[in-house]
Amino acid sequence: MSIWINENTKVLIQGITGSQGTFHGIRMVEYGTDIVGGVTPGKGGQSVEFSGRSVPVFNTMAEAVSSTSADATVIYVPARFAAPAIIEAVDAFHELK
């Protein structure tokens, strides 16, 4: 399987409200990445500001993918949550197909 990322890719950030998610999200938006939302459990309904752009936060990947039609995700969560975050992402994207 090949994964193609380009200027039209809609990206989610898992861990968007954390320090690493925020740090990298700001730079991604400045670079031109289309950040369409993020996921932080318990913080759904909030939004974050990236370079003057408001980005919605969702509680789950399933909510985020269905609401944004995202194509990809980046994961900035603590190491102990990485495996569950990956599995949640795979499940959410798989549900669309």
Side-chain angles (χ1 to χ4, degrees):
M1 177 174 131
S2 295
I3 299 174
W4 298 98
I5 305 291
N6 61 38
E7 65 276 357
N8 299 313
T9 303
K10 297 179 207 164
V11 180
L12 293 169
I13 300 175
Q14 288 174 262
I16 194 167
T17 61
S19 62
Q20 292 299 309
T22 299
F23 175 86
H24 291 287
I26 290 168
R27 278 135 192 93
M28 290 167 69
V29 167
E30 289 172 352
Y31 184 74
T33 304
D34 186 10
I35 304 296
V36 295
V39 176
T40 300
K43 295 191 178 183
Q46 297 180 15
S47 62
V48 294
E49 293 289 324
F50 288 156
S51 302
R53 183 168 171 227
S54 183
V55 178
V57 178
F58 300 91
N59 285 316
T60 68
M61 278 296 292
E63 293 171 0
V65 171
S66 68
S67 295
T68 64
S69 299
D71 303 305
T73 186
V74 294
I75 302 175
Y76 296 108
V77 300
R80 69 178 185 256
F81 300 121
I86 294 166
I87 292 166
E88 182 183 9
V90 170
D91 289 345
F93 284 115
H94 181 62
E95 287 294 318
L96 292 179
K97 297 189 182 220

